[in-house]
Amino acid sequence: MNPIAAVEHPLTIAEVFDRAVVLCVRRWQVVVALSALDAAPGVITRAANRGRVPVDDGAFYSMMAAEVLVSSVAFAALVRTFGEAGSSTRMLSSLGAAVRDFPRSAGAYLVFFVGVVLISALTGGLAFVAFGLGSRAGGPAGAIVASLAVGVPVLLLVAPLLTVVVVAYPTTILERRGPLRGLVVAGKRVLSGDLRRGGLLGVAWLIGSVALPFAAEPVVRQIAALTGQPLTGVFQPLLDSLFGPFGTAVGFVTAVDYRNRREGTDLQAALEQAPA
């Protein structure tokens, strides 16, 4: 049975995450291989810099550019793999298709990357300002209360936009749309429905795909400090990349579900029409 089955109601967050897990398990060989590919620029750069992120501007931005280029191909290939009907794991064909369709692969990833960064920066920036003001007025306790009082409502307001960005990525790849057109289509599908559901999906994706790897970074630094081996820092990109496929799977399942609800198509047909 295909890991994504047709349903007659919008998927709940639990169902979206469950089906995303199934996709990752069914395609685990591809997930591991593409995660390693995605992590390669960060691992190589950190290994050459004693496990640390380079502080030189030229080296840092070169690393970022390499990571974006490799990630745009790796995750476009992963989306295509998830879109294949059945349980085959044709990584090379999906990777080759992502390379041949590089302008779309790179454009979709840049829209996704910039959208997530802007939304996160807006939320985090306002919470940080509130933290500073609260600290002056009420000390540490006031800072925490103020940052939560501002950050949580802002996050809930922008969370549907985060879902739009997440849905736009697989929509652009699978439906062969331009990056900006894919964003517009995703916006229509998400924002014309239940905004509360869209917001909850955005928050859930943020926790599962961004917050968990972000929380793991201090653990890696602590291990490096305890062992005295700074090269343990090379494992951070690998750890980050392992969360990427799950977030991609969540975005894929959500995008197909929104397409079903918007257009009334059968989910199985949507999967079978995905490009090889």
Side-chain angles (χ1 to χ4, degrees):
M1 180 178 179
N2 197 286
I4 308 296
V7 293
E8 296 181 356
H9 63 87
L11 297 177
T12 66
I13 294 176
E15 288 172 329
V16 168
F17 274 58
D18 176 70
R19 294 168 190 235
V21 169
V22 171
L23 277 175
C24 290
V25 171
R26 288 282 184 90
R27 311 293 204 275
W28 70 268
Q29 300 100 324
V30 178
V31 166
V32 171
L34 291 178
S35 293
L37 175 63
D38 175 61
V43 169
I44 294 171
T45 304
R46 290 184 185 225
N49 198 45
R50 293 184 56 79
R52 299 182 180 89
V53 176
V55 294
D56 176 74
D57 285 347
F60 176 79
Y61 288 115
S62 296
M63 180 192 72
M64 287 293 295
E67 288 184 346
V68 168
L69 289 176
V70 173
S71 295
S72 66
V73 173
F75 286 112
L78 191 61
V79 169
R80 291 172 177 273
T81 301
F82 288 154
E84 292 177 354
S87 59
S88 61
T89 53
R90 298 178 295 165
M91 185 188 75
L92 291 181
S93 63
S94 295
L95 192 58
V99 172
R100 290 192 298 272
D101 199 24
F102 181 74
R104 193 189 321 275
S105 300
Y109 188 82
L110 283 174
V111 168
F112 167 79
F113 181 80
V114 171
V116 171
V117 168
L118 289 178
I119 292 171
S120 300
L122 173 63
T123 305
L126 291 175
F128 181 77
V129 170
F131 184 91
L133 295 176
S135 179
R136 293 181 181 180
I144 294 174
V145 171
S147 61
L148 291 176
V150 172
V152 172
V154 171
L155 176 60
L156 294 177
L157 285 174
V158 301
L161 299 179
L162 182 60
T163 301
V164 171
V165 173
V166 171
V167 168
Y169 184 64
T171 298
T172 300
I173 299 298
L174 294 177
E175 298 184 18
R176 297 182 180 274
R177 299 180 184 273
L180 294 181
R181 179 58 183 167
L183 184 65
V184 171
V185 170
K188 289 180 179 179
R189 291 175 181 174
V190 174
L191 300 180
S192 64
D194 184 353
L195 290 182
R196 178 176 175 273
R197 176 177 181 263
L200 291 175
L201 282 167
V203 172
W205 181 90
L206 189 66
I207 293 173
S209 303
V210 179
L212 291 180
F214 181 78
E217 186 170 351
V219 176
V220 174
R221 289 202 301 266
Q222 187 65 28
I223 292 174
L226 291 174
T227 60
Q229 298 293 327
L231 283 177
T232 54
V234 302
F235 295 108
Q236 182 65 44
L238 287 170
L239 188 62
D240 292 342
S241 293
L242 287 176
F243 286 94
F246 177 69
T248 303
V250 169
F252 169 79
V253 176
T254 305
V256 177
D257 183 57
Y258 268 113
R259 178 182 176 181
N260 277 357
R261 301 312 122 205
R262 175 75 177 182
E263 300 180 4
T265 59
D266 179 77
L267 186 50
Q268 185 63 39
L271 288 174
E272 291 175 352
Q273 291 169 7

